[in-house]
Amino acid sequence: MPMSEPAPHQDFDAFIRRHDEFLITSHVDPDADAAGSCLGLALSLRRMGKTAEVVLEAPLPQALRFLPASETVRSMDETPRRYGTAFVLDCSTLDRTGNVGARCLAPDARIAVIDHHRESETFGDPRLVVVEASATAELVHDVIEQLGMPLPPEAAECLYAGLLSDTGGFRYQNTNPRALRLAARLLERGAAYPAAGNVYFRVKSFPGYGALSRQKPDEMLENVRTEPGEGK
């Protein structure tokens, strides 16, 4: 099985140009890579004049609501219609989206896939699956950059959050020179990682993370103790 399954970017270009409305979704229990990739792509498509709705099986967790445009994310139950065109991000199978596929996609829906998981099943056309990528956010950025799509600061920040999440704050083994160069580019494009983002990573190691993740970002700040030397 090949390590990479890259699709020609012109296939994504045709896919985007032929359609005006897109559902964008990812896996259940999303992390910052899943949510950030969805929102980053949606913000770029909206700048092109497209309709792009981020729909997840359940409401976005409070711990991810620091992401720009997070208030636009809709749960499956808030989506009364079925879409004929979709992006499925950071999912090795369509089942990973929960019931979004069955409830929110038309039976003959066209699906584009962007993912970096080794066990990714062959579904969707076009597909961009590169397991060497540090995060799906990296691949979403590749599509945006190669196609000359807009990358507003809010989209850059969403993709930066995804990259930061899947590299463990640039501590995991998948932190390679490409990931660090991308982080620098996203910061140059206006990504400004907020205080709530720092909270998102810090509280994950706390025993009470589950309870904290259901709080609002400003409430979470009150529950985090800053150690000497942190934030300098």
Side-chain angles (χ1 to χ4, degrees):
M1 180 178 178
M3 289 290 288
S4 305
E5 192 181 311
H9 285 95
Q10 58 263 30
D11 292 349
F12 280 88
D13 187 36
F15 181 79
I16 291 170
R17 292 186 185 279
R18 288 174 184 166
H19 304 285
D20 293 320
E21 295 185 335
F22 301 90
L23 176 146
I24 304 176
T25 191
S26 190
H27 55 78
V28 296
D29 298 324
D31 54 12
D33 188 30
S37 294
C38 288
L39 284 166
L41 179 59
L43 287 164
S44 180
L45 288 169
R46 291 168 189 164
R47 283 293 182 98
M48 297 175 66
K50 307 285 186 178
T51 297
E53 297 288 348
V54 178
V55 179
L56 302 173
E57 184 176 64
L60 192 68
Q62 289 285 358
L64 294 173
R65 294 189 185 182
F66 63 88
L67 292 168
S70 61
E71 71 280 359
T72 67
V73 177
R74 299 162 65 187
S75 71
M76 178 180 65
D77 293 335
E78 298 172 310
T79 308
R81 57 168 294 190
R82 290 177 179 265
Y83 286 78
T85 314
F87 280 91
V88 176
L89 308 183
D90 203 38
C91 288
S92 55
T93 70
L94 186 58
D95 289 344
R96 290 279 286 124
T97 66
N99 291 312
V100 171
R103 292 266 301 273
C104 302
L105 295 182
D108 58 347
R110 291 286 310 278
I111 299 175
V113 173
I114 303 177
D115 187 31
H116 71 128
H117 292 100
R118 186 180 304 273
E119 67 276 14
S120 185
E121 291 184 357
T122 303
F123 77 100
D125 180 25
R127 290 170 52 84
L128 179 61
V129 179
V130 182
V131 301
E132 299 92 345
S134 57
T136 292
E138 176 185 324
L139 300 176
V140 170
H141 176 269
D142 284 351
V143 171
I144 290 173
E145 183 176 59
Q146 291 295 322
L147 301 188
M149 295 169 63
L151 185 65
E154 297 83 2
E157 186 164 328
C158 287
L159 297 179
Y160 182 80
L163 183 65
L164 193 63
S165 171
D166 263 26
T167 59
F170 306 118
R171 294 178 294 116
Y172 296 162
Q173 289 185 347
N174 62 343
T175 303
N176 52 37
R178 178 180 171 83
L180 295 174
R181 285 193 293 268
L182 175 56
R185 286 201 298 274
L186 293 171
L187 290 172
E188 290 170 349
R189 295 301 296 269
Y193 205 64
N198 295 326
V199 171
Y200 171 67
F201 288 106
R202 197 175 300 162
V203 300
K204 285 180 73 174
S205 63
F206 287 7
Y209 171 64
L212 285 173
S213 67
R214 292 187 290 273
Q215 296 179 348
K216 296 179 180 179
D218 57 347
E219 294 172 339
M220 292 168 68
L221 284 168
E222 297 177 359
N223 288 278
V224 177
R225 182 177 65 253
T226 302
E227 299 295 339
E230 288 187 355
K232 294 184 178 180

